[in-house]
Amino acid sequence: MTTLGNRYTGLISRYRDRLPVSADTRLISLGEGNTPLLKLKNIPALIGKNVEIYVKYEGLNPTGSFKDRGMTMAVTKAVEAGSKAVICASTGNTSAAAAAYAARAGIKAFVLIPEGKIAMGKLAQAMMYGAITLQIRGNFDDGMELVKQVANEAPVTIVNSVNPFRLQGQKTAAFEIVEELGRAPDYHCLPVGNAGNITAHWIGYCESSTPIGQKVTDSCAFCDGDCRYPKAPITTGRPKMVGYQAAGSAPFVRGEPVLNPETVATAIRIGNPQSWAQAHTVMKESGGWFDELADQEILDTQRLLAMSEGIFCEPASAASLSGALRDIKSGKIPEGSVIVCTLTGNGLKDPDTAIGQCASAVLKTIDAKLDQVRDSILQTMGV
Ligand code: AN7
């Protein structure tokens, strides 16, 4: 089959030489990746610090989150292996992505989601893309255990990030950043749930900076000391990786699993992270750290980003910037630093939480009369 012109056709085609696919692998893609790396213009001045902050806006992926990067690989490899169905447990975004890529591939998707605890947009996506959507009376961690067990008893491929192809797809975000900046950032901040994404980014940064033939990182399931997918390094630097959790679901900060995780940032309402060991390796190798944020800090930053930069991310995503701003203010992240924060998901995913925060402040009801509209404008502008 030929393709017309010079279209962008997704991250596997772009990074084919650094991903575990062969020339005749049928690629399942929705044009994911290639997301904007936006430099914040107003927030650094607001906090009075001389730093360069970039946000990687992963909410502009086809299903509205970074999960598409991993899912294009996971579903491509599932189809290559002859699988007819994929399954995942999810706090919402993984289920949306699994459902969409399965639809694209023409196979079935089964998704287990915690009843009442996923954002409305994500539920709409899973249903609309035609996934068999099983709401469980339990949380993500319960769902994850069930998925692992049922995969032994039914012909389904797990597409949670325990599937190593997921991390291979997600590592490409680091490639894009290094290529665009011409160097690695000094700090890379992410929200952490299962810690798959922070691990994947570290793999990507390491592959971008490891001479051919050397071991890339202990976090990579494909790296056995003689990496199967080497590529000439394009930079020598690597960032410190910083992972932020919601205080009510912060197993990495507690040092042990959290039994009943709670947070308004439902995407990261995870108490028993699947990439526990890898994430600790990432911290050791990169010199980074984990920290936690109160729900209110996360929401305040979500709103600050929307109002002062015009960028709308979901609550979980705001944890990366929220933590970064706190650590910049305290000096833990020093002035002069180049910082990248991943905005993992689109703000439109969770309209209820957004409206709940702003309604009384910015939503006014008036009659459909010229004078009332005019007065509202004049009052607001102080004229
Ligand atoms: C917006 O969808 O785990 O640390 O089931 O949706 O790699 O788990 C979502 C995770 C951050 C955390 N931000 O990433 C799921 C799910 C958003 C997310 C994370 C998620 P990991």
Side-chain angles (χ1 to χ4, degrees):
M1 200 170 60
T2 56
T3 49
L4 291 175
N6 194 20
R7 296 184 313 124
Y8 177 81
T9 52
L11 61 85
I12 303 182
S13 349
R14 177 158 172 193
Y15 294 111
R16 185 182 272 282
D17 57 344
R18 287 181 258 177
L19 290 167
V21 289
S22 62
D24 47 7
T25 303
R26 176 186 155 210
L27 305 186
I28 311 299
S29 171
L30 291 164
E32 58 294 313
N34 199 21
T35 54
L37 185 64
L38 298 166
K39 186 172 179 180
L40 297 191
K41 298 286 182 195
N42 302 316
I43 289 178
L46 280 178
I47 62 168
K49 292 285 187 180
N50 175 27
V51 284
E52 279 182 45
I53 308 175
Y54 297 84
V55 293
K56 182 75 168 155
Y57 196 12
E58 291 288 276
L60 292 193
N61 275 296
T63 78
S65 87
F66 74 96
K67 302 286 182 181
D68 295 340
R69 290 184 187 273
M71 208 53 75
T72 184
M73 270 304 303
V75 174
T76 289
K77 295 302 282 187
V79 168
E80 186 176 53
S83 180
K84 297 280 182 278
V86 295
I87 189 167
C88 65
S90 180
T91 57
N93 281 324
T94 301
S95 58
Y101 284 82
R104 184 78 162 169
I107 63 174
K108 284 200 185 322
F110 297 91
V111 305
L112 273 68
I113 53 172
E115 183 190 21
K117 292 290 185 179
I118 86 167
M120 198 58 80
K122 303 173 189 180
L123 181 61
Q125 288 180 293
M127 295 167 70
M128 195 72 191
Y129 292 129
I132 294 95
T133 307
L134 306 171
Q135 298 197 70
I136 59 166
R137 293 184 200 96
N139 61 27
F140 168 85
D141 304 300
D142 300 323
M144 193 64 237
E145 284 315 307
L146 288 166
V147 161
K148 287 183 186 170
Q149 288 167 16
V150 83
N152 294 322
E153 298 179 17
V156 286
T157 303
I158 300 179
V159 292
N160 283 102
S161 56
V162 294
N163 177 330
F165 296 120
R166 279 274 311 274
L167 301 196
Q168 289 294 305
Q170 286 170 215
K171 75 183 180 184
T172 60
F175 296 163
E176 290 175 15
I177 291 164
V178 165
E179 285 167 19
E180 256 185 80
L181 296 179
R183 52 164 283 185
D186 299 309
Y187 297 85
H188 189 127
C189 305
L190 292 119
V192 168
N194 278 304
N197 209 24
I198 200 166
T199 302
H201 276 75
W202 183 241
I203 294 170
Y205 282 122
C206 290
E207 287 188 13
S208 302
S209 56
T210 303
I212 290 175
Q214 280 186 24
K215 184 165 184 167
V216 172
T217 160
D218 284 338
S219 304
C220 181
F222 287 93
C223 190
D224 51 10
D226 174 25
C227 187
R228 285 164 59 194
Y229 309 104
K231 170 89 182 176
I234 57 175
T235 171
T236 51
R238 297 175 184 179
K240 291 191 190 325
M241 303 298 296
V242 188
Y244 296 107
Q245 303 211 277
S249 327
F252 285 109
V253 183
R254 304 282 164 270
E256 60 185 11
V258 170
L259 210 50
N260 292 305
E262 269 312 336
T263 169
V264 68
T266 52
I268 50 173
R269 187 173 168 271
I270 294 167
N272 188 17
Q274 297 300 305
S275 294
W276 182 262
Q278 295 92 319
H280 281 101
T281 303
V282 170
M283 290 312 168
K284 209 173 95 205
E285 290 182 351
S286 81
W289 61 88
F290 290 112
D291 207 343
E292 63 186 310
L293 295 134
D295 278 0
Q296 195 56 51
E297 291 180 278
I298 292 174
L299 294 178
D300 289 348
T301 305
Q302 182 196 18
R303 191 135 183 244
L304 176 76
L305 181 64
M307 292 186 59
S308 24
E309 302 280 355
I311 302 168
F312 188 19
C313 67
E314 67 172 285
S317 308
S320 60
L321 181 63
S322 194
L325 293 179
R326 188 212 277 158
D327 285 337
I328 292 165
K329 283 184 203 158
S330 77
K332 191 168 184 182
I333 295 178
E335 287 201 83
S337 297
V338 173
I339 302 138
V340 173
C341 296
T342 302
L343 301 179
T344 44
N346 198 302
L348 295 172
K349 294 260 192 181
D350 191 351
D352 299 316
T353 305
I355 292 170
Q357 280 194 76
C358 322
S360 57
V362 289
L363 187 65
K364 272 171 77 177
T365 306
I366 57 167
D367 294 330
K369 297 258 168 56
L370 177 61
D371 60 334
Q372 294 200 21
V373 178
R374 187 192 55 224
D375 288 352
S376 298
I377 294 171
L378 295 182
Q379 270 168 24
T380 304
M381 305 210 43
V383 196

